[in-house]
Amino acid sequence: MAALLGATIWLTTKPQLGVVKNLPYVWGNALQVANPEYRIYHRGNDYTTRGLLEAVTALEIDTHVNAAASEKPSAVVEVTQSILGDVTFPALPASPLHPYIADFNGGAGDDAAGKRAVEERARSLPAHQQVIVLAELAKPLSEEELSRSVVAYSNSEMKRFFLSGIQGSGKPLYWWPGWNGCSALSKWDNNCGARSVVADFRKWVHQFTENDSINLAKVGLDLHAMKRAAAVGRVYGFMDTRTGSREVLELLVRPEIRTVKIVALVPELNN
């Protein structure tokens, strides 16, 4: 009986045979959702090579600091799927942002002490100093509430969203809309910048079945947790690029903001 049960579980959760039609959209985005520390960009099937036994897609991986400074991508990594359905993801290097991500408490209520601690550092920032900030919301908000009441947080390439609290992986679920708010998708349209982040995340999540659980788990993603987050459709926090003390302090005074973490300074490039 135990052997039969084990065989049944394996048959219902094993990876699907073959390579998915749009490898970068399916598994390239999975790598990004699982790794908020980086900006991971796919260029669709143009950067995918298909062979007899596997397909390989190239992804550009960059730090948020380099992206804000408009420097070139720091590396190219590959995701591979075999004809047996098994996906191989690259091992990404440790990031200085990891402690901030692992300590994410979006949706956990007010944090007045945390705000006061950040205010002192924020006031010391030069007027033109760009910084990467991680903002935690006091309570989860809909996308519309976030845009209307917090910072007019519209969908564009420098907007980065946390769509859950901390998961079993030690990180929240994450969605980056991509360049012009559309390149995380399988194809572009004429309304990329105005697209709904939650709707696009839901569409991506809903393509998966139990047969994909094994491959998702390889990057620390839990299918059931993803589906819960997609169904709820709330934002727990975001990353943004802000300039100087005034813009950071503007975030801190918002009651919707739990606290703001200044996670990196963006260097000025030499012309």
Side-chain angles (χ1 to χ4, degrees), residues 55-254:
V56 181
T57 193
L59 306 169
E60 295 178 3
I61 177 172
D62 207 352
T63 67
H64 294 287
V65 171
N66 282 356
S70 299
E71 293 185 346
K72 293 181 179 179
S74 56
V76 174
V77 298
E78 294 180 341
V79 171
T80 303
Q81 187 168 20
S82 74
I83 60 171
L84 297 178
D86 295 315
V87 179
T88 301
F89 295 97
L92 303 185
S95 165
L97 266 64
H98 178 75
Y100 299 102
I101 301 293
D103 191 43
F104 181 76
N105 286 293
D110 296 331
D111 183 10
K115 279 189 173 182
R116 287 194 296 270
V118 176
E119 282 180 9
E120 183 176 351
R121 186 182 180 196
R123 294 183 189 281
S124 69
L125 291 172
H128 301 291
Q129 174 65 62
Q130 283 195 315
V131 294
I132 307 295
V133 297
L134 192 164
E136 299 175 354
L137 299 181
K139 66 177 183 179
L141 298 177
S142 70
E143 194 175 346
E144 294 78 13
E145 289 171 328
L146 177 62
S147 179
R148 181 175 63 250
S149 64
V150 179
V151 284
Y153 201 65
S154 60
N155 185 350
S156 70
E157 59 263 24
M158 299 314 295
K159 308 307 182 185
R160 291 147 284 184
F161 297 80
F162 297 95
L163 302 181
S164 77
I166 290 289
Q167 303 293 294
S169 63
K171 304 175 187 179
L173 294 171
Y174 174 79
W175 188 258
W176 175 52
W179 291 118
N180 295 317
C182 211
S183 58
L185 306 179
S186 56
K187 63 181 181 180
W188 288 51
D189 63 28
N190 294 324
N191 199 33
C192 289
R195 295 185 66 90
S196 163
V197 168
V198 169
D200 288 341
F201 177 73
R202 281 175 174 159
K203 181 178 180 180
W204 176 77
V205 168
H206 287 169
Q207 71 183 313
F208 294 110
T209 70
E210 290 295 331
N211 290 336
D212 299 304
S213 295
I214 292 176
N215 283 327
L216 289 168
K218 292 176 182 178
V219 284
L221 294 176
D222 178 84
L223 178 59
H224 297 287
M226 288 163 48
K227 287 185 177 293
R228 284 195 298 271
V232 171
R234 291 291 185 268
V235 179
Y236 287 67
F238 56 88
M239 278 197 287
D240 198 6
T241 304
R242 312 292 286 181
T243 302
S245 59
R246 180 180 61 82
E247 289 193 359
V248 177
L249 291 170
E250 284 177 352
L251 282 179
L252 286 167
V253 300
R254 301 278 184 173

